[in-house]
Amino acid sequence: MVNIRNFGIIAHIDHGKSTLADRLIERTGVIDPRLFKDQILDTMDLERERGITIKSQAIRLPYKAQNNKEYELNLIDTPGHVDFSYEVSRALAACEGVLLLVDASQGVEAQTIANLYLAMEHDLAIIPIINKIDLPSADIDRVLNQIDSELGLDPDETILCSAKEGIGISEILEAIVNRLPSPKGDDHNPLSALIFDAQYDSFRGTIIFSRIFNGQVKAGDEIKLMSNNARYTAEEVGYFRLKRIKCPSLSSGEVGYIIAGVKTVSDARIGDTITLARHPVENTLPGFREVKPVVFSSIYPVSTEDYEDLIIALEKYKLNDAALVYEKDSSAALGLGFRCGFLGLLHLEIVQERLEREYDLSLIMTVPTVQYFIFSKTGKKITIDNPALYPDPLTIEKIEEPFIKAIIIIPDQYMGAVMKLCLDRRGINTGYHYIGSGRLEMTFELPLAEVIYDFYDKLKSITQGYGSFDYEILDYRESDIVKVDILINAEKVDALSQLVHADRARDRALHACEKLKEEIPRQMFKIPIQGTISNKVIARATISPFRKDVLAKCYGGDISRKRKLLEKQKKGKKRMKMVGSVGIPQKAFLAVLKTESD
Amino acid sequence: MMKNNLEKPKAGLYIHIPFCKKKCNYCSFYSLTAINKAPEFIAALQKEMEIYQDWWPEYDTVYLGGGTPSLLSINHLAELAHKIRKIFSLSSDAEWTIEVNPDDITLTFLKNIKSCGFNRLSIGIQSIQDNTLSWLGRRHNAQQALQAFDLAKKAGFQNIGVDLIYGVPISKLTLWEKELQQIIALKPEHISAYQLSFEPGSIFFKKKNQGHIQPLREKEEFSFFVNTSQILQTAGYIHYEVSNFSRDQTKKSAHNQKYWQHLPYLGLGPAAHSFRPFRRHWNHRSLDQYCQDLSKNIAPIKGFEELKINELRLETLYFGFRTSRGIDLKKIQEKFNQNLISDPPGLAHRLIQEKKLILFNGYLAPTTLGLALADALPLLW
């Protein structure tokens, strides 16, 4: 165990985490460097194409240090987005230390700090690394300064590196060995193992990624998942190189996988504790919680005939994504579909893209919503995450919506713009302080609903890309939430209804009307589009009819071609969602979700 | 005469003359400038006629189109006319049309083609404004155009059609209206007024895609279309098809109407299309391939289609909405088991209310507003 090091790499997005991981894998000889580019990266590209990166697993790197001792370095990858902060926290819980990567030209960003806090919460040893020092725009002194003043870490212990050029890699490997602690634990204690990730394999079922804290597990053991007392028999244990490598047992301090006939990844919950059924541990590992979705949206197939395919696709997809929750939903306009819950907007986008790409579906998603608490006048509290379930406003006593705490780090010249953005989004500024020369950390309390809309894009644009952002859910607060309906040609399109704050209702309704006007093809008839609250029109737009659509010539040689053209148009029309006599293309639904692309 | 002749409608005969002195900017029809190949083509054409000798019992229209049929020598034209009569059975009152270009014709030439049996002229006037003509890439000028009409009259033609193009981006609605009045003053029996379109394969199509030509906006196109119809109707013309107007019922192009009523027509020459219930076939769009096939006595067919019931239905609607005669509701009910008035519910009445369609004598027919939308209407049913 003294020769084991379990570590992760944490970084703001694009600071070079993947490149450094590649370099460590290459340098420790897991892959022949000559084959590395040609073959391994190819397969990894393929994996990436499919949305699963090899390194989201945990890879075991054999390393012979300068002290001539053999070490087992377990690199545990962490997802790099705020939506997945719980998963990150569990991955970090499996480590003793982290490499904290900072881009030499970008410097410290919001996620750097958020990740640092996470690492500190887990009492991890931290090795600061400045990456991309080869860039012409690298400003090492400034970043060293930030590491000192903003992160409170020792700049003298910082390693300078260019993962791309292979500079500093040896120093990093030595630092992992020398500066990160070895795991503690005892093989003779009852088994206590943390699930920090799980992936679905179509041949073997769920592959559980686990860190053993105490005890041992081997094939044939009956294991127990402590959150729900589910029992399974371990069929195989092992560790990862680039493939799974079977081994007789996993012992305390080690990181590896367990295959135990667990059907779906949802049954192997991240953060749960594995123990042995016949000799269970008394206490679960700390930090486990149920993953709860915070953003909700309905998914419909563009073509109603694809509903069966969507069912199958979701079932298959769900095997590998425990965070997605869904249930049946139906819409008068869009037919049968599913109401889904996501960890955040990125998660939503990933799910949509993967369903469309991997299962060849065309999908329509409704406007994302958060979860509201509605208190009725009779004193009942209901939770809704779907505008369709919004009750009669007259019966509502009050509504509460979720708030988040947001940390935003910006160069100080953008303070005014960010302040305005957050206040426009009904935010409350709870503080700001300088964290280094010219850099400001601002904290806000914001309604989550405002953040899932287009907040991050806006923030990026007003700060010219320099603003960074992280958040956590805070609490629920009373709020004036109304339901905005959209009517196309006087027919309500239920799938376009949204729950919004009363102050924002008009803007959002107008935005939806105008986007629909742009995207719905003109027809022979005038098409009014209206946004309403309780049947009162608050926004409108009109699609003017076309009056001329005819080709001048139609003689012998023109007929077949023209008929084929008409047939094609007819098919195109079939792919649209018909609301009354109006065909609405899929992109119109998508456009309503998107904000002004200024 | 065979017995079933009485039951069968008469067919049209179309002959495509694929030669032009120069390709016009707007044209996407098949044509070449290699007029030296005319003798070879005329020979091939006669062979093709022989192949189709028994294709249909009787014909009542002949139409020489192109290309530029008036580029052929009078000897060639006489030879063709003679051969047509020899091979095919033609009604005595058959309509014989030939397309002519204003700059090709002389009084003698016109008299000669008249004596070949052609009784209807379609003159490619296109415009009587010099700048429009040169923008279109035509060979003639306005004066020649007017003179051609005059010569046709002098030659004794009593059924003269003129082809016009309007809506060119360099012109204006008021100028076009003035031009139209000048044409009306000539009192042609027939006017084909084509809104300029950008056909794939034409020079204009390319220029438009390169951004060198800005087509009219839909709103302007609509004004051109409606005003053209109104002016000609005021002058007494019948707007009987999207782009076609006739001075009275008898002066409609008998030949062109076959296309719009699923009546049989035999198309000879390269790229020509033929139809008889319910099969359509088309020839090679290459003079060389065409001649080569015929030298081996093979019909120079490039492709064909058998119309399925749905296709036939779509075409029937399409043709119906392009012609002021409209759609025979009873026929649609019988053939396709659809009541256009009640299925889908409300649609026909809505369009009637909006004055796009009218219901008349069992026909659902487009008004001028409806004709302007003729390509979109079939998709509503």
Side-chain angles (χ1 to χ4, degrees), chain A residues 239-290:
Chain A
Y239 59 89
F240 294 96
R241 274 279 142 83
L242 281 174
K243 287 184 292 200
R244 290 195 297 269
I245 301 205
K246 207 155 110 175
C247 64
S249 68
L250 291 174
S251 306
S252 52
E254 287 193 294
V255 169
Y257 69 88
I258 301 169
I259 296 173
V262 180
K263 274 208 188 101
T264 75
V265 291
S266 314
D267 299 321
R269 293 192 271 185
I270 291 175
D272 202 353
T273 306
I274 305 172
T275 191
L276 291 181
R278 62 180 157 81
H279 187 30
V281 69
E282 229 167 87
N283 297 318
T284 58
L285 292 163
F288 172 74
R289 63 176 167 86
E290 300 245 6

Side-chain angles (χ1 to χ4, degrees), chain B residues 209-372:
Chain B
N209 287 354
Q210 290 166 344
H212 298 315
I213 298 178
Q214 189 67 44
L216 297 185
R217 285 171 306 167
E218 183 227 271
K219 211 172 139 187
E220 298 169 303
E221 280 195 4
F222 176 76
S223 306
F224 266 94
F225 184 84
V226 171
N227 288 18
T228 302
S229 177
Q230 270 165 4
I231 288 168
L232 286 171
Q233 289 191 64
T234 307
Y237 285 88
I238 303 167
H239 191 176
Y240 72 99
E241 195 260 359
V242 171
S243 305
N244 286 290
F245 301 83
S246 71
R247 214 165 66 187
D248 61 53
Q249 294 292 351
T250 65
K251 295 299 188 298
K252 294 177 181 173
S253 163
H255 181 82
N256 284 342
Q257 289 189 94
K258 305 221 186 263
Y259 297 128
W260 308 323
Q261 292 172 20
H262 283 123
L263 290 173
Y265 48 89
L266 175 62
L268 306 177
H273 284 56
S274 303
F275 174 81
R276 66 180 169 186
F278 290 98
R279 181 187 168 96
R280 192 174 281 127
H281 77 251
W282 46 91
N283 283 351
H284 290 291
R285 203 182 152 90
S286 147
L287 181 60
D288 289 342
Q289 182 73 52
Y290 172 82
C291 292
Q292 209 183 317
D293 279 11
L294 285 163
S295 68
K296 295 180 227 158
N297 265 320
I298 299 170
I301 294 176
K302 164 83 173 150
F304 71 92
E305 61 182 4
E306 296 278 355
L307 289 185
K308 293 187 218 59
I309 186 90
N310 272 340
E311 294 168 338
L312 190 65
R313 178 186 161 277
L314 188 58
E315 285 187 4
T316 307
L317 293 182
Y318 178 60
F319 294 153
F321 288 127
R322 286 187 66 96
T323 48
S324 57
R325 188 173 95 129
I327 298 167
D328 186 338
L329 292 170
K330 219 174 95 195
K331 263 194 184 160
I332 292 282
Q333 179 77 59
E334 282 166 10
K335 276 195 189 165
F336 310 110
N337 195 25
Q338 186 180 15
N339 181 340
L340 295 185
I341 300 300
S342 59
D343 175 19
L347 176 61
H349 284 295
R350 183 170 175 184
L351 291 164
I352 290 166
Q353 211 171 20
E354 293 178 6
K355 298 192 162 50
K356 290 172 182 135
L357 298 178
I358 48 166
L359 196 55
F360 182 72
N361 270 350
Y363 279 79
L364 187 62
T367 61
T368 305
L369 295 181
L371 286 174

Side-chain angles (χ1 to χ4, degrees), chain A residues 332-343:
Chain A
L334 301 180
L336 292 172
F338 291 94
R339 189 71 186 168
C340 301
F342 306 92
L343 296 178

Side-chain angles (χ1 to χ4, degrees), chain A residues 546 549 552 554-555 560 563, chain B residues 194 218 243 260 305 315 322 372:
Chain A
F546 64 77
D549 182 5
C554 172
Y555 298 117
S560 293
R563 190 197 67 241
Chain B
Y194 297 111
E218 183 227 271
S243 305
W260 308 323
E305 61 182 4
E315 285 187 4
R322 286 187 66 96

Side-chain angles (χ1 to χ4, degrees), chain B residues 21 70 90 139 184 277:
Chain B
K21 269 191 190 150
S70 55
L90 273 141
R139 291 183 276 140
I184 289 168

